[in-house]
Amino acid sequence: MLDVLGLEPDDERVYRALLGRPNSTAIVLSDQLDLPHAHVDKALSRLVEWGLVTRSADERFTAAPPAMALGALISQRRDGLRMAEHALVTFAEEHRAAMTGSSISELIEVVTGVDAIRHRFLQVQQAARTQVRSFITAPFVALPPDENTAEPMAIGRGVQFRAVLDRAVLAEPGILDDAIDSLRRGVQLRVADQLPMKLVLADADLGLVPLAVTPDGEPGAALLHRSGLLDALDALFETVWRSADPLALSATVGESEPTVEVGPHGPTELDRRILALLLAGLTDLAAATQLGLSPRTLHRRLRHLMDLAGVRTRMQLGACAVRNGWAEPLRA
């Protein structure tokens, strides 16, 4: 537990032992913990140095009160992190100033190979301080969405995520479950009919875009630093974002097929899921596959909804669904 403060496992064991046995000698602790005497001596020296343990003149050791000792240590670490954050801002400004007169080769780094691209993709998100923006298209070459470990970590430190999905991506297996997980974490998702490229942007400082496959078949990407080109990609994202449709999904996508029919006052949750997917642009077959339904069942549900709405065409049904809020965004 105390390893986050820089203590070794032996240090924590010795400190815990002293909490219940004050005024202990190193020999007693060694016997009690079944640790070599040399290990206990090193642990005690570190604990004394950190102020977690006091040493008497006759070489007896007592644990300092946890609230006092650990509280001071935590405060020191917190102050150190604040200083590191201030240093980061200073270094970032110095880096930007230095990059102003940089050559093209210093502003653009070419990355080749799946592993290298995956590493850079995670690094770009880890470097973000305020926001990450991305275009998501298929196929997923370097990292499928469900393996993007950097996203939840960045969200945990307050980074905002916005992503636009190519409409065709919604037909990829498992993508809807991944989208629901992201929406629950606070990611903002929209859908566009067609995206020009894959893209990930960290603040206004870094961007990663794909390159053509090399002659030997390896994928490539370009890591862009702050520049006019990165500013153009920033503007491109915001333009596409404004025209894209917010993604509307049900929180229970992936459940087994329900058998509940349309109630007297409106559509069931299954009906809402069907409408949400069709309004997002999925074909009947893709929507049925995502929901675990047969095409016949999906068509039967649509016919029932059309009867409920009193309309004759799907276009009229879509307008009715939007007007009456039958396909709403995810409710976490």
Side-chain angles (χ1 to χ4, degrees), residues 135-191:
F135 287 159
I136 301 175
T137 67
F140 306 122
V141 176
L143 193 71
D146 62 343
E147 296 180 14
N148 184 10
T149 56
E151 179 184 295
M153 294 177 64
I155 290 173
R157 64 175 189 271
V159 177
Q160 179 192 54
F161 274 71
R162 288 188 288 152
V164 181
L165 287 77
D166 190 293
R167 203 171 296 278
V169 169
L170 295 176
E172 293 289 316
I175 192 66
L176 294 180
D177 288 336
D178 296 331
I180 286 174
D181 289 341
S182 292
L183 286 167
R184 282 175 172 158
R185 287 194 293 266
V187 178
Q188 299 178 54
L189 296 178
R190 295 190 176 184
V191 182

Side-chain angles (χ1 to χ4, degrees), residues 15-16 41 49 71 75-76 112 120 205 212 216 227 242 249 272 276 280 299 310 316 323 326:
Y15 181 72
R16 286 178 177 275
D41 278 341
E49 181 181 353
S75 295
Q76 291 173 10
T112 305
R120 282 289 186 261
D205 301 322
D216 60 359
S227 60
R242 285 192 293 269
L249 292 173
R272 291 177 180 274
H299 293 155
Q316 291 173 322
R323 185 168 57 249
W326 286 359

Side-chain angles (χ1 to χ4, degrees), residues 275-298:
L275 289 169
L277 296 181
L278 294 180
L279 287 172
L282 267 68
T283 64
D284 289 2
L285 180 59
T289 300
Q290 291 289 353
L291 296 172
L293 305 175
S294 67
R296 177 177 296 181
T297 298
L298 184 135

Side-chain angles (χ1 to χ4, degrees), residues 310-332:
V311 299
R312 294 186 176 183
T313 68
R314 287 197 181 190
M315 184 173 294
Q316 291 173 322
L317 176 61
C320 179
V322 172
R323 185 168 57 249
N324 294 311
W326 286 359
E328 300 175 353
L330 171 69
R331 298 181 300 279

